[in-house]
Amino acid sequence: MPDSPSTPRHVFVYGTLRAGGSNDIARFSPAPQRIADGVIAGTLYDLGAYPGAVLGGEGRVQGEIYRITPALEAQLDVLEEVGPGDTGEYIKREVQVRAAGAALACLVYEIHPDRVAGRSVIASGDWFRRD
């Protein structure tokens, strides 16, 4: 991803990193700036204590968009267990997120597809409103 080490980026969070979640992103330092609520195309899975989204398809996943620093991005990579060559629990992607009628390029942590076998789909697409 071609940004310089000091360029702020945006991240879309859809699970425990959301405001009020067990890993609320506001607890991290440097503090992120909340930009908007957003929606991505994907399927949300219940993994027990946290969710995982698989990108694409007809479903929608609800979340929040934050402006983050590279230092915070590095912390999120550790939390989400991003591994080399897409071998970790989550895979860091960049996608267009719809928010307030516009699209914004955001990082999204997609669950590794191998981790969702046999897991329940959260039909609402909202971790805070699990069906």
Side-chain angles (χ1 to χ4, degrees):
M1 296 183 189
D3 293 322
S4 78
S6 61
T7 303
R9 298 177 48 137
H10 295 95
V11 65
F12 175 83
V13 297
Y14 56 82
T16 65
L17 286 164
R18 288 173 60 187
S22 60
N23 286 318
D24 189 329
I25 195 169
R27 297 179 188 159
F28 287 81
S29 181
Q33 177 186 4
R34 187 168 178 168
I35 302 298
D37 291 338
V39 178
I40 59 171
T43 303
L44 193 62
Y45 291 88
D46 188 338
L47 304 176
Y50 55 92
V54 174
L55 301 179
E58 297 298 317
R60 297 291 173 258
V61 176
Q62 306 293 319
E64 302 161 358
I65 300 169
Y66 291 86
R67 182 174 293 123
I68 61 170
T69 64
L72 179 49
E73 180 180 342
Q75 293 173 62
L76 296 176
D77 288 354
V78 170
L79 176 73
E80 303 292 8
E81 299 181 24
V82 173
D86 297 339
T87 59
E89 183 170 19
Y90 285 84
I91 302 165
K92 186 166 55 173
R93 307 278 191 210
E94 187 165 310
V95 300
Q96 295 295 311
V97 179
R98 289 194 326 259
L104 185 63
C106 294
L107 300 175
V108 175
Y109 291 89
E110 178 181 25
I111 190 69
H112 196 286
D114 292 346
R115 310 282 174 134
V116 297
R119 300 296 188 150
S120 298
V121 170
I122 300 170
S124 69
D126 187 339
W127 175 241
F128 289 164
R129 294 185 17 227
R130 300 185 275 282
D131 300 326

